[in-house]
């Protein structure tokens, strides 16, 4: 039986991420421009969508026209903030877990979003394999990553204020568990994972305090959006958004209607079986290894089993 992933994971549990990073921190432009990029790449409506690394639900209003929305994050406390805002909407399902042992069943998503997560991943290939697995043949995924070959990094390197080269393809860990990636390196990892890039946008060209303090955030974001597609041919912006598909995957295994019960959405993080049964209103159990997981405060918690798996 394979055990939970030993890959290091950054943990925002108990942090004030929303207040410290987004609220009153001069990032209205970043929020606005990322929303424009998502609206450009993501289908405006659909069946089931999941956001990986959804945190407190910053982008959740973009999914208003989907029939079912899964908000997934490693942090229980951030998800609880999302519950406080969205918990009364029955379309939302909140799931805590580890991306490397993603507790979502295979091929169940029509759309997937992952923004501001890739730069924290110590094993990109392992994460991409999990993302590909939950898509079906006609799914649309939107994945964002931090671009190592951005204009600011190039200029800093040219004048000797930065040791690492933005042209070198290997990722750079500029702060512990914070990585920037070269576009060519990322393309190779996506291809190896079975994900096909269908569109690429360069985003956040104007992420400079001098501009953000002088120009309205929405105006600056709109100007940035004019560069999305052209910049995507050779990204020099600090952020890259990719629209991806998984053409080699099977078709969606079941219709989107309410016929799919909650337990069929999940995959066991311990034995990787997709064979859960609902043993109580707030509890599911894997029928293979018998690990059990509970919903607490509307968050399905797959970080820790309330009943450990039985050794086979």
């Amino acid at each position: 039986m394979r055990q939970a992933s030993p890959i290091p994971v950054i943990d925002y549990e108990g942090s004030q991420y929303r207040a410290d990073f987004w609220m009153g921190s001069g990032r209205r432009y970043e929020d606005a421009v990322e929303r424009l990029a998502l609206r450009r790449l993501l289908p405006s409506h659909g069946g089931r969508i999941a956001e990986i690394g959804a945190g407190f639900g910053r982008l959740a209003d973009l999914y208003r026209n989907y029939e079912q929305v899964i908000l997934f994050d490693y942090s229980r406390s951030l998800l609880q903030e999302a519950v406080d805002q969205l918990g009364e909407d029955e379309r939302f399902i909140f799931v805590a877990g580890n991306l490397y042992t993603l507790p979502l069943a295979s091929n169940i998503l029509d759309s997937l979003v992952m923004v501001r997560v890739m730069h924290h991943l110590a094993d990109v290939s392992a994460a991409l394999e999990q993302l590909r697995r939950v898509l079906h043949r006609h799914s649309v995924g939107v994945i964002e990553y931090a671009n190592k070959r951005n204009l600011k990094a190039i200029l800093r390197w040219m004048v000797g204020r930065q040791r690492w080269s933005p042209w070198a393809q290997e990722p750079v860990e500029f702060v512990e568990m914070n990585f920037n990636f070269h576009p060519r390196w990322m393309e190779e990892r996506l291809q190896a994972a079975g994900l096909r890039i269908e569109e690429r946008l360069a985003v956040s060209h104007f992420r400079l305090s001098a501009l953000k303090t002088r120009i309205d955030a929405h105006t600056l974001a709109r100007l940035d959006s004019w560069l999305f597609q052209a910049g995507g041919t050779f990204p020099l912006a600090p952020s890259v958004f990719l629209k991806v598909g998984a053409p080699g995957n099977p078709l969606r295994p079941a219709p989107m209607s309410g016929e799919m019960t909650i337990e069929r959405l999940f995959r066991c993080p311990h034995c990787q079986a997709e064979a859960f049964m609902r043993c109580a209103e707030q509890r599911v159990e894997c029928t293979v290894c018998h690990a059990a997981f509970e919903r607490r405060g509307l968050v399905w918690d797959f970080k820790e089993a309330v009943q450990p798996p039985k050794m086979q």
Side-chain angles (χ1 to χ4, degrees):
M1 180 185 299
R2 285 181 286 175
Q3 301 300 313
S5 170
I7 304 168
V9 176
I10 195 164
D11 193 353
Y12 280 85
E13 192 69 45
S15 72
Q16 298 299 311
Y17 175 65
R18 181 181 186 182
D20 294 345
F21 191 84
W22 290 105
M23 306 301 292
S25 299
R27 290 190 171 89
R28 290 186 300 119
Y29 157 69
E30 285 85 348
D31 179 67
V33 77
E34 288 171 7
R35 288 171 177 274
L36 289 178
L38 284 169
R39 289 190 179 102
R40 180 80 62 90
L41 298 177
L42 190 68
S44 61
H45 63 280
R48 180 179 298 112
I49 186 172
E51 183 181 349
I52 307 301
F56 60 87
R58 173 175 69 97
L59 301 171
D61 61 295
L62 296 177
Y63 318 136
R64 64 173 65 92
N65 293 324
Y66 281 81
E67 296 176 39
Q68 189 175 73
V69 182
I70 300 172
L71 299 185
F72 175 88
D73 203 272
Y74 191 71
S75 168
R76 301 180 183 99
S77 58
L78 287 181
L79 281 174
Q80 190 56 52
E81 290 185 42
V83 168
D84 294 342
Q85 300 178 73
L86 305 162
E88 294 184 0
D89 189 333
E90 294 183 355
R91 296 177 306 121
F92 284 88
I93 298 173
F94 309 90
V95 182
N98 189 328
L99 172 55
Y100 298 114
T101 54
L102 186 61
L104 299 181
S106 300
N107 315 128
I108 63 167
L109 300 180
D110 299 303
S111 298
L112 177 146
V113 172
M114 190 173 81
V115 174
R116 291 183 176 268
V117 174
M118 191 76 77
H119 68 285
H120 288 318
L121 298 183
D123 191 334
V124 168
S125 295
L128 290 177
E129 173 57 31
Q130 291 295 315
L131 299 185
R132 181 205 56 77
R133 180 182 60 75
V134 297
L135 301 177
H136 59 70
R137 189 178 304 170
H138 301 300
S139 301
V140 172
V142 179
I143 299 173
E144 179 269 346
Y145 68 89
N147 179 22
K148 177 183 184 181
R149 193 189 61 196
N150 66 76
L151 183 59
K152 182 179 179 180
I154 293 171
L155 294 175
R156 287 175 59 87
W157 176 74
M158 289 177 63
V159 299
R161 296 184 61 188
Q162 174 180 289
R163 292 185 178 181
W164 52 269
S165 169
W167 307 108
Q169 290 197 21
E170 67 274 7
V172 58
E173 186 177 15
F174 58 95
V175 176
E176 184 178 5
M177 291 297 291
N178 284 263
F179 303 89
N180 282 354
F181 304 98
H182 192 283
R184 179 63 60 83
W185 185 93
M186 185 61 69
E187 289 171 12
E188 291 174 354
R189 296 311 177 279
L190 287 158
Q191 182 178 9
L195 292 166
R196 182 177 65 194
I197 299 175
E198 298 177 353
E199 192 171 354
R200 180 171 65 179
L201 305 180
V203 178
S204 290
H205 292 85
F206 306 131
R207 196 183 292 175
L208 300 168
S209 296
L211 290 174
K212 294 195 296 180
T213 56
R214 290 172 171 80
I215 303 175
D216 172 74
H218 292 283
T219 300
L220 199 59
R222 188 170 64 254
L223 293 173
D224 197 318
S225 70
W226 296 349
L227 302 175
F228 280 175
Q229 197 160 14
T233 60
F234 190 85
L236 293 174
S239 184
V240 176
F241 278 66
L242 302 173
K243 178 181 179 180
V244 302
N249 275 15
L251 296 173
R252 186 173 58 196
M256 177 48 230
S257 70
E259 295 175 20
M260 178 169 276
T261 56
I262 189 72
E263 58 268 27
R264 292 183 61 193
L265 293 178
F266 300 135
R267 173 184 172 102
C268 180
H270 290 282
C271 73
Q272 288 74 58
E274 299 179 11
F276 277 100
M277 66 176 182
R278 191 83 169 263
C279 51
E281 179 64 25
Q282 308 290 341
R283 182 167 171 150
V284 293
E285 180 178 325
C286 175
T287 59
V288 176
C289 73
H290 300 287
F293 304 88
E294 286 187 346
R295 182 171 64 174
R296 303 165 179 168
L298 295 187
V299 176
W300 285 99
D301 189 348
F302 284 88
K303 290 179 69 174
E304 183 179 1
V306 294
Q307 174 179 293
K310 297 179 181 178
M311 299 302 295
Q312 303 294 309

